[in-house]
Amino acid sequence: MKQISVLVIDPVGLHARPATVAVNAASKFKSEVKVAYKGRTVNMKSIMGVMSLGIPTQSEVVVSCEGEDEEVAIATIEEVLRAQKVIA
């Protein structure tokens, strides 16, 4: 299992537009992809799950991937979140 801990820097937090881009990126992988915030963990391939966390700015979240393509999955998701300027 691969995981990264990231700080959300977007002033609005992890809102719908970048969350949708991240969910679309996660959905391309066979690995199980999860995001955790404040003790709750959800499937990152589910927009409803990600939005239900209500992640505000300056929050630390953990993204984890487990499966055959976990290395590429975690790198891609981190890259997508950086490109969307959600994380630093």
Side-chain angles (χ1 to χ4, degrees):
M1 181 169 86
K2 296 286 176 189
Q3 68 178 31
I4 55 169
S5 183
V6 294
L7 182 69
V8 175
I9 59 161
D10 189 300
V12 186
L14 184 55
H15 55 95
R17 192 175 322 108
T20 301
V21 175
V23 166
N24 288 340
S27 297
K28 294 177 183 170
F29 297 100
K30 291 180 182 174
S31 293
E32 196 172 88
V33 184
K34 297 190 179 283
V35 61
Y37 171 66
K38 280 196 172 178
R40 287 188 54 215
T41 303
V42 299
N43 182 348
M44 197 165 190
K45 296 179 183 181
S46 162
I47 188 66
M48 295 306 290
V50 174
M51 293 307 296
S52 75
L53 292 176
I55 301 168
T57 189
Q58 298 304 309
S59 298
E60 190 161 313
V61 296
V62 176
V63 178
S64 60
C65 297
E66 187 170 5
E68 59 188 74
D69 53 4
E70 63 188 29
E71 297 269 347
V72 180
I74 199 92
T76 302
I77 291 162
E78 183 176 10
E79 187 179 301
V80 164
L81 290 173
R82 285 189 198 287
Q84 293 291 311
K85 296 181 175 30
V86 173
I87 63 172

